[in-house]
Amino acid sequence: LEHAPPAVARDGFDVVIANGRVMDPETGLDAIRHVGIRDETVAAISAEPLQGEVEIDATGLVVAPGFIDLHAHGQCSRSNEFQAMDGVTTALELEIGVPDVARFLASREGHAVVNFGATIGHGPLRSWAMPEHEQQVERIVAEFGISGDDCRDVFEAFGAGTRPGRHEALPEARYPVLRERLAQGLRDGALGIGIAHQYYPGVTHDEIFRVFQFAAERRAPVFTHVRSMGVAAVQEVVSNAVATGASLHIVHLNSSSLGQYRTNLDLILGARARGADITAESYPYTAASTDIGSAMFDDGWQELLQIGYEDLQLQETGERLTAETFPRHREQGGLVIMHMMKPEWIRALLAEPDVMVASDGMPYAPGAHPRSAGTFARFLGRYVRDEGVLPLLP
C-alpha cells in the first residue's frame, strides 16, 4: 500500500503515525512515511504529512505490520496485553488446540485484546472417543468450559482431557467417533487440527496417520508437537504429510530436535523442495516449559531431554529441583521451566528463512517463561539488530 490521494489526506484520520520508517514485507517498502488510520484500518501511507485526531510521532522508529503468533497458550486478556506490547496482533492456539471450538470462540468474543483462533485438539478428543473415559472427559470439558476470560482454561482443558487415555491406544472401531468430533470442530471454525502426541504416548502410528488422511480430505492443516525428541519423530510426521498430501506445521523445532536440528531441518527442506507443504517454527530461547505432571516426564525423561533435575525450575517459586523434590512436584503438577538447549542451536534455526518465529507462550503469570511476553522483542533485538542473524526486512 503506497497511496494517499489528496482528497483522502484532507479528510483527516482517527490516528496518524508520523515520520516513521515504514516497512512492508509484501511490497518491499522501506522509507519514511506517514500512516493514516481510520476505523481501525490503515487507510493511507503517504510521503506527505497527514492530519489525525491523534498524532503519534514515530521519528527514529520502525512502523511495520504486527506479528502473527501461531503458538500462544495464553488465551486471555492479561496475556493478550503482554503479547500486544510485544508487537503481536494475532495470537493463535494451534499446537494443542481446544476440545470445543464453538465455546472457545464465544468465550473470547468481547475479551480479546488481539485477534484469536484455535485448532481442534486431537488429544482430548481421542480420550473422549474411548468408551471408558467418555463421561470423565465430557465432564472435564464442561468444567473448564473454555469459557470466561481465564488463561488457564485452554491449557488445563488439554492436560486434564488428554490425561485419562494418554497411555492407551484408541481402538480402531472408535476412529469414526474421533473423526466426527474433529469434523465438528472444523465446522465450528477451527483453523486446523492440533496433534501434540508427545503428551499421549499411547497413541499408535496408525491413529496419527489416519488423522493426517482425514486432514488431507478436509483440506485442514495439521499443527503438531511431535511424539519425541530427535529425528524419528519428525520423520513420522513428514512421511505422513508426504503420503497423504496434508499440509503440516511442526511446532518448536528447536526443543523437538535438540542437537539433531540440522537433520530435521534438512528433512523438512528436502520434502518442501519436492512439493510437500511443510513449515516449522522456533522460539528464541534456550529454555522450554511445560507441566511437570505431563507424560514428558515419564520414566526416562533425563535421557530423552538430555538434562538432569537441576535443569528443572519451578515457575511458581523459581526453585531448581533435586532428586528428592522432583517426585513431590511431579505428583502435584504445575508448570516447570526446562533449561535444555544451546544458543547456537537457536541461532542456526532462526537464521533459516523457512523457519518462522512463534512464542509457545504460556499463560502469563509472575515467574512464567519470558517467551510469554518477550519473544518478538528478543528476536528483533538480539537476533536481528545485535547479531545480524537475519535482516530487518528480507
Side-chain angles (χ1 to χ4, degrees):
L1 178 65
E2 169 92 62
H3 72 281
V8 174
R10 283 198 301 269
D11 286 345
F13 300 92
D14 299 328
V15 178
V16 168
I17 304 174
N19 305 309
R21 179 185 173 189
V22 174
M23 306 185 78
D24 180 7
E26 184 176 3
T27 65
L29 174 66
D30 182 2
I32 302 300
R33 291 290 186 269
H34 307 271
V35 179
I37 300 170
R38 185 182 296 117
D39 297 328
E40 301 182 356
T41 299
V42 174
I45 299 177
S46 172
E48 301 300 322
L50 304 174
Q51 293 184 343
E53 293 184 21
V54 176
E55 297 188 6
I56 300 170
D57 185 6
T59 300
L61 302 175
V62 171
V63 182
F67 293 104
I68 299 173
D69 189 354
L70 302 179
H71 191 165
H73 299 306
Q75 294 291 324
C76 68
S77 294
R78 184 61 171 158
S79 287
N80 286 170
E81 290 168 1
F82 286 93
Q83 291 160 340
M85 289 187 286
D86 196 29
V88 173
T89 54
T90 299
L92 305 174
E93 171 55 90
L94 302 182
E95 179 204 29
I96 62 174
V98 298
D100 188 326
V101 174
R103 294 171 78 176
F104 166 75
L105 295 177
S107 77
R108 299 301 291 128
E109 289 290 345
H111 295 291
V113 177
V114 298
N115 299 312
F116 58 90
T119 55
I120 181 67
H122 168 247
L125 295 195
R126 68 180 301 274
S127 293
W128 205 348
M130 297 175 181
E132 65 272 32
H133 301 310
E134 185 172 9
Q135 291 185 349
Q136 179 183 358
V137 176
E138 193 161 332
R139 286 195 301 269
I140 288 168
V141 173
E143 177 186 347
F144 289 111
I146 318 300
S147 62
D149 194 31
D150 187 344
C151 272
R152 300 171 300 172
D153 270 353
V154 169
F155 205 69
E156 291 188 11
F158 169 80
T162 300
R163 193 168 293 116
R166 67 182 180 180
H167 292 112
E168 301 170 29
L170 178 67
E172 190 172 344
R174 301 295 291 177
Y175 285 8
V177 177
L178 173 62
R179 286 171 61 95
E180 176 49 36
R181 289 204 166 111
L182 291 170
Q184 184 61 53
L186 295 174
R187 290 193 292 268
D188 288 340
L191 299 176
I193 300 172
I195 305 177
H197 48 312
Q198 186 166 23
Y199 291 104
Y200 36 100
V203 67
T204 64
H205 287 82
D206 179 70
E207 181 186 336
I208 296 298
F209 179 72
R210 300 307 170 189
V211 175
F212 269 76
Q213 283 185 321
F214 171 81
E217 292 167 8
R218 299 303 178 99
R219 301 179 64 83
V222 170
F223 299 84
T224 185
H225 174 140
V226 298
R227 73 168 66 237
S228 186
M229 278 72 179
V231 174
V234 171
Q235 285 178 322
E236 177 191 15
V237 295
V238 168
S239 65
N240 286 352
V242 171
T244 64
S247 297
L248 169 66
H249 180 77
I250 301 174
V251 306
H252 50 51
L253 192 63
N254 51 326
S255 56
S256 292
S257 301
L258 300 180
Q260 295 178 297
Y261 67 89
R262 187 69 251 175
T263 304
N264 284 341
L265 187 57
D266 287 344
L267 275 167
I268 295 166
L269 296 178
R272 281 171 56 85
R274 288 157 181 81
D277 183 11
I278 303 176
T279 54
E281 71 184 47
S282 174
Y283 50 82
Y285 293 90
T286 56
S289 184
T290 195
D291 191 324
I292 195 173
S294 73
M296 192 175 293
F297 291 99
D298 286 354
D299 290 345
W301 63 267
Q302 294 100 322
E303 293 75 21
L304 174 67
L305 304 179
Q306 301 173 33
I307 57 175
Y309 295 107
E310 70 281 0
D311 298 308
L312 302 181
Q313 183 178 16
L314 293 181
Q315 172 180 295
E316 188 173 355
T317 65
E319 170 192 352
R320 296 285 185 132
L321 298 187
T322 67
E324 291 71 35
T325 61
F326 175 83
R328 172 166 51 87
H329 289 291
R330 168 83 164 147
E331 179 67 24
Q332 293 173 348
L335 296 178
V336 65
I337 297 171
M338 306 129 71
H339 298 273
M340 56 190 283
M341 289 167 279
K342 297 181 180 180
E344 55 266 30
W345 303 351
I346 308 301
R347 191 177 299 109
L349 285 169
L350 295 179
E352 285 289 338
D354 290 303
V355 175
M356 305 176 196
V357 176
S359 72
D360 193 7
M362 309 301 283
Y364 179 78
H369 193 301
R371 67 192 185 192
S372 303
T375 287
F376 296 96
R378 180 180 175 90
F379 170 66
L380 290 175
R382 172 170 293 194
Y383 293 102
V384 175
R385 181 192 61 205
D386 297 344
E387 299 188 12
V389 171
L390 283 175
L392 187 58
L393 186 68

